[in-house]
Amino acid sequence: MSPSNAPIAVLKRLLYCRSLLRAANHCSPHDYDYYMSDVKTAPDLRIEDGVAVITFCWPEKLNALNPTVQHEIARIFDELPGNPNVRVIVLTGEGRGFCVGDDLKYVVESGDTELPEMGFAGIGKRGPDYPLPIIGAINGFAMGGGCEIALACDLLIAAEEAVFALPEPKIGWSAITGGVQRLTRDIGIKQALGIVLTGRNVSAAEAKSLGFVNEVVPAAQLMPTAMRWAQQIAECAPLATRCSKQIAYTCLDVPDFATMMREDTYPLARVVYESHDAKEGLRAWVERRKPDWKGN
């Protein structure tokens, strides 16, 4: 970005940030300072029983993310696939917000506008080849960039109070870093356009009826429910879940039925059936015991 364009970009992102708060219907037009901060708050990472739980820890700011924190999240996502103790990721936020996008006060004061290579929070541009399933446990507002993070998850569990929105058109922007694209693939063009052209709020119940949320639960049951889904995934062979994820996403782009059904369309298909875990799964079933997955 050239120096002459930097102030304009920062101003646009400031207006965008304010629009998110207005869209939430819980903040006045002057409350945009409320969730912009000069403090760097790293996400919390906890690993237990094969599940990595990443929590955005800025509740007083509705989990707005400055560039430094976004790069830290990106680093975590880069490293987790190499951890043999992790089979699945659960992503959530602390407080009333899942994530409401950028921390604009930090951006204005630091001049730091660089996003991670993999998009907003290092998640938005990750594709179907990311090896670990990602579950979004949406506890509250998922607005703008936060909504794009949610849509980048493989499964979404939402609290009843959760709200989704891509309000970028209200300030002359478009959710081009994954929001429009992923939502259209998830729910079809007519339903998606009804959301992205208006920038309107979508409740958790409506999100489930449209098909981009898997389950809606009371807030107190959000994390137990997300962990139940995660444990079910963690009990399966990791290479098999990775292959299934690859097939599910890749088949959306296959032009014809015959190609879609060909095994060699999916690089991991043959690898799975020739793997140690495929043999181990059969042996464990015959011997009526729990399989000992190796991930290969």
Side-chain angles (χ1 to χ4, degrees):
M1 180 183 299
S2 68
S4 61
N5 290 333
I8 297 175
V10 169
L11 177 59
K12 284 184 176 180
R13 292 176 74 180
L14 179 62
L15 292 171
Y16 166 60
C17 194
R18 181 169 62 180
S19 77
L20 296 183
L21 289 170
R22 287 177 171 177
N25 294 326
H26 282 265
C27 304
S28 74
H30 303 290
D31 279 343
Y32 52 89
D33 281 334
Y34 169 77
Y35 84 107
M36 296 182 288
S37 173
D38 54 0
V39 178
K40 303 181 186 73
T41 301
D44 178 70
L45 172 63
R46 173 173 54 89
I47 299 174
E48 184 178 350
D49 297 329
V51 181
V53 179
I54 302 172
T55 304
F56 302 141
C57 299
W58 221 335
E60 67 275 16
K61 311 300 177 183
L62 298 178
N63 296 314
L65 304 177
N66 65 48
T68 302
V69 176
Q70 291 188 46
H71 279 85
E72 174 64 13
I73 297 168
R75 182 191 64 78
I76 291 172
F77 270 82
D78 287 341
E79 294 179 356
L80 282 177
N83 188 329
N85 297 316
V86 176
R87 303 281 179 83
V88 59
I89 297 171
V90 173
L91 189 60
T92 192
E94 183 179 348
R96 295 191 303 128
F98 171 72
C99 175
V100 292
D102 278 304
D103 169 27
L104 266 295
K105 184 176 181 180
Y106 178 85
V107 170
V108 170
E109 293 181 353
S110 70
D112 184 359
T113 60
E114 182 183 357
L115 293 178
E117 181 181 356
M118 287 290 103
F120 189 81
I123 303 170
K125 293 184 179 179
R126 294 188 190 268
D129 289 332
Y130 187 73
L132 297 174
I134 306 171
I135 299 174
I138 313 302
N139 53 297
F141 299 119
M143 319 292 285
C147 187
E148 291 188 321
I149 292 174
L151 292 170
C153 295
D154 300 302
L155 302 174
L156 287 181
I157 314 302
E160 292 171 340
E161 299 83 2
V163 178
F164 302 85
L166 294 169
E168 286 85 345
K170 293 183 177 181
I171 55 139
W173 280 27
S174 180
I176 63 173
T177 56
V180 175
Q181 301 94 316
R182 292 182 189 275
L183 189 64
T184 301
R185 286 171 70 104
D186 284 350
I187 65 175
I189 191 166
K190 295 297 185 183
Q191 296 290 0
L193 286 175
I195 295 170
V196 303
L197 294 183
T198 63
R200 68 181 180 83
N201 289 0
V202 177
S203 69
E206 183 183 2
K208 184 176 185 300
S209 70
L210 289 171
F212 69 92
V213 164
N214 296 83
E215 187 171 357
V216 177
V217 296
Q221 294 300 312
L222 178 64
M223 287 310 294
T225 302
M227 292 302 291
R228 170 173 56 81
W229 282 81
Q231 288 297 337
Q232 289 177 342
I233 294 172
E235 291 173 0
C236 298
L239 187 59
T241 58
R242 182 180 175 185
C243 177
S244 297
K245 176 179 170 178
Q246 182 186 79
I247 294 172
Y249 284 112
T250 302
C251 75
L252 295 175
D253 298 319
V254 175
D256 60 85
F257 182 81
T259 305
M260 182 181 71
M261 297 303 295
R262 278 171 43 190
E263 184 180 291
D264 61 1
T265 300
Y266 313 102
L268 286 177
R270 176 53 56 185
V271 176
V272 165
Y273 283 101
E274 294 176 352
S275 69
H276 164 276
D277 283 355
K279 300 178 180 66
E280 166 63 10
L282 290 175
R283 283 195 296 265
W285 185 83
V286 171
E287 297 169 7
R288 299 182 182 274
R289 60 173 175 81
K290 186 177 179 179
D292 180 21
W293 306 125
K294 301 298 184 184
N296 54 45

